[in-house]
Amino acid sequence: MTPDITMSFAVQSNPGVYALLLGSGISRAAGIPTGWEVVLDLVRKLAAAQDADCEPDPALWYEQTYGTQPGYSQLLDALAKTPSERQQILRAYFEPNGEEQQEGLKAPTKAHRAIAKLVAKGYIRVILTTNFDRLMERALEDEGIAPVVISHADQIQGAVPLPHMRCCVVKLHGDYLDTRILNTPEELASYDDRFNDYLSRVFDEFGLIACGWSAEWDDALRGSIERITNRRYTTFFAAVGTLGDRASALMKHRSGIHVPISNADAFFENLQTKVEAIEAFSQRHPLSTKAAVAACKRFLSDPNIYRIRLADLVNDEARRVSEELKSAELANTSEAITSETVTTRVQRYDAMCATLCALAFQIGRWGDRESIEYLAEAQKRLYATQTKQGSTFWIAYQGYPVSVISYAAMLGASLQERIDVVGALLTNELEYSHDETTLAIEAIPPFFWLENESWGKYLEGMNDKKAPLNEWLFKKLYGDFH
């Protein structure tokens, strides 16, 4: 099993347990400079203001001129005297101008977007970053997530406890609009005791996925990881090429796994894709569906006694499926259309609808008129979850869940030659929001099960029960629910 597969299974099976450690390699694709690159550029500006030549080594020129290594705070104080002026200087490094906006620079990268989607689904809750920019926060906000941001030790005391946070972004070296940023070797040599205690808890209680961080320069951060001896969860170290000596030593100390990558964007998109693929195949425990079917059969055996319990069984399952269909991923109708995205989405639909389909099959086969009404209500509920904006392709695919559940019920009905069930479900009036009502037969794509003139044979009594069903559909549903 390759390291990325191992990591994907670890993340998917332990939601919220893995923390991310993001270094400058995450934001470089967006055109964001590192903290040291900002310092060197500020030195050049300071030298230019004095008509001095600081090349070829701006840091050495500064040290020879001022007797100390260049620091972020000192340079800003020298170049601008008020907080507003300092902020304007910094914005040019971390916020895009008009030309950069057109080129897509200084905006959240594919890596940031993929991480935000993992956070939205509850797989990631804690993000540690050495970056000063706010790209991670912007990507999270685009997913409707307002993260708790800690960029200075003063903010730790008033922060919500980690177990109660949906998402926490810990900016280990500060924020670009806060001049207390850590940048020089001396500043990076140690952290405030409050930060050390906070990090010790994270590294002790969470698994770790590091990416874009070399471990070469951040002595305090490296020390925080080395102090923890527990191995509750695995440490994954994603890096391009071979690891450096310090990263290798750190990984050995943590009994970690090296994950070779080509770049951060591909790494996190791959992680997101694999986690979602595993999720799609992680259907509910078979016993839960079997238990639901067993209960359904018992309720159908005496509808007078169990009518309310049967109604609750179907309604509760339809409600659960409806809520899952409203998730950000399945409601997204602007996603790229590829064979992979279509397959993944259909697999998720199948997984979440499995139990309701099994109930629909039994009710379609054995249910009375009132129990068929429960299925009709489920049809309406699922149809109403659709959105009407975005790609027409994905809008159409939103009809898949209500279609497959209807097919399951009609397959059960076909085994007993029950035209009453077929008629009730196909003439059911479906409605989205306050739109005009639509008959189910118009809303359910017919190409899955109609073949030539077989619809007429279906209405005539369905002597050949397989004729109106696509061979794949028949085998799938019959094998699953009979």
Side-chain angles (χ1 to χ4, degrees), residues 161-470:
L162 281 173
H164 304 306
M165 292 185 187
R166 184 182 184 188
C167 178
C168 179
V169 178
V170 183
K171 309 186 81 166
L172 299 167
H173 298 168
D175 183 273
Y176 76 91
L177 292 180
D178 187 335
T179 57
R180 295 174 294 182
I181 197 168
L182 305 181
N183 189 67
T184 66
E186 289 80 5
E187 292 169 337
L188 297 175
S190 63
Y191 288 148
D192 183 287
D193 288 341
R194 293 167 293 179
F195 238 136
N196 279 327
D197 292 342
Y198 197 77
L199 291 177
S200 293
R201 181 177 178 185
V202 172
F203 295 137
D204 179 41
E205 298 177 2
F206 290 78
L208 187 65
I209 300 174
C211 183
W213 181 63
S214 67
E216 291 297 319
W217 314 107
D218 305 322
D219 293 343
L221 178 54
R222 195 171 58 249
S224 295
I225 300 175
E226 290 172 341
R227 281 193 296 271
I228 304 303
T229 58
N230 290 329
R231 305 288 185 272
R232 302 178 194 273
Y233 301 98
T234 308
T235 294
F236 296 95
F237 210 115
V240 178
T242 58
L243 297 177
D245 292 340
R246 289 183 172 177
S248 296
L250 192 62
M251 190 178 67
K252 182 178 180 180
H253 169 74
R254 296 286 295 177
S255 300
I257 297 176
H258 175 213
V259 184
I261 65 173
S262 57
N263 57 67
D265 285 350
F267 169 69
F268 280 109
E269 284 194 317
N270 182 56
L271 175 60
Q272 179 204 349
T273 299
K274 282 183 168 56
V275 167
E276 290 182 349
I278 297 169
E279 178 188 55
F281 282 102
S282 298
Q283 300 187 15
R284 305 177 75 193
H285 195 283
L287 288 179
S288 65
T289 297
K290 290 182 178 179
V293 169
C296 181
K297 288 180 176 179
R298 186 171 70 255
F299 299 157
L300 288 171
S301 67
D302 196 335
N304 292 325
I305 296 177
Y306 296 117
R307 179 167 282 108
I308 294 176
R309 296 182 67 179
L310 179 60
D312 288 343
L313 177 65
V314 177
N315 291 339
D316 289 347
E317 189 61 25
R319 185 182 301 110
R320 181 193 64 79
V321 174
S322 176
E323 290 303 314
E324 289 195 39
L325 291 174
K326 294 176 184 177
S327 66
E329 293 77 24
L330 292 177
N332 180 10
T333 56
S334 59
E335 184 179 14
I337 301 169
T338 66
S339 59
E340 290 79 11
T341 57
V342 173
T343 300
T344 297
R345 185 166 298 203
V346 171
Q347 288 169 344
R348 288 198 62 190
Y349 284 149
D350 281 341
M352 70 175 60
C353 294
T355 298
L356 189 54
C357 280
L359 297 178
F361 175 85
Q362 298 300 332
I363 294 173
R365 188 176 186 182
W366 306 113
D368 59 11
R369 177 177 297 181
E370 191 163 351
S371 61
I372 301 303
E373 285 299 316
Y374 304 153
L375 289 182
E377 288 301 316
Q379 280 184 312
K380 291 179 180 180
R381 183 187 291 275
L382 299 189
Y383 185 79
T385 63
Q386 302 181 71
T387 60
K388 296 298 183 181
Q389 296 180 342
S391 165
T392 54
F393 180 88
W394 287 126
I395 290 174
Y397 253 85
Q398 290 178 115
Y400 184 93
V402 69
S403 297
V404 74
I405 288 166
S406 301
Y407 300 154
M410 290 188 287
L411 178 61
S414 73
L415 298 178
Q416 298 298 113
E417 300 188 1
R418 297 192 56 189
I419 299 300
D420 59 317
V421 175
V422 177
L425 295 180
L426 293 186
T427 59
N428 190 19
E429 293 185 343
L430 309 180
E431 181 180 3
Y432 169 76
S433 187
H434 298 294
D435 290 352
E436 294 183 1
T437 58
T438 303
L439 290 180
I441 193 172
E442 297 176 352
I444 298 174
F447 51 82
F448 281 82
W449 55 284
L450 296 181
E451 296 179 357
N452 301 323
E453 299 178 356
S454 57
W455 176 237
K457 296 174 68 177
Y458 197 92
L459 292 178
E460 291 171 2
M462 300 178 298
N463 294 324
D464 180 0
K465 297 180 179 61
K466 292 188 179 181
L469 294 170
N470 173 287

Side-chain angles (χ1 to χ4, degrees), residues 30-31 92 95-107:
E95 299 177 7
N97 55 33
E99 182 177 344
E100 288 171 333
Q101 284 182 330
Q102 292 181 350
E103 296 177 359
L105 296 175
K106 296 180 181 177

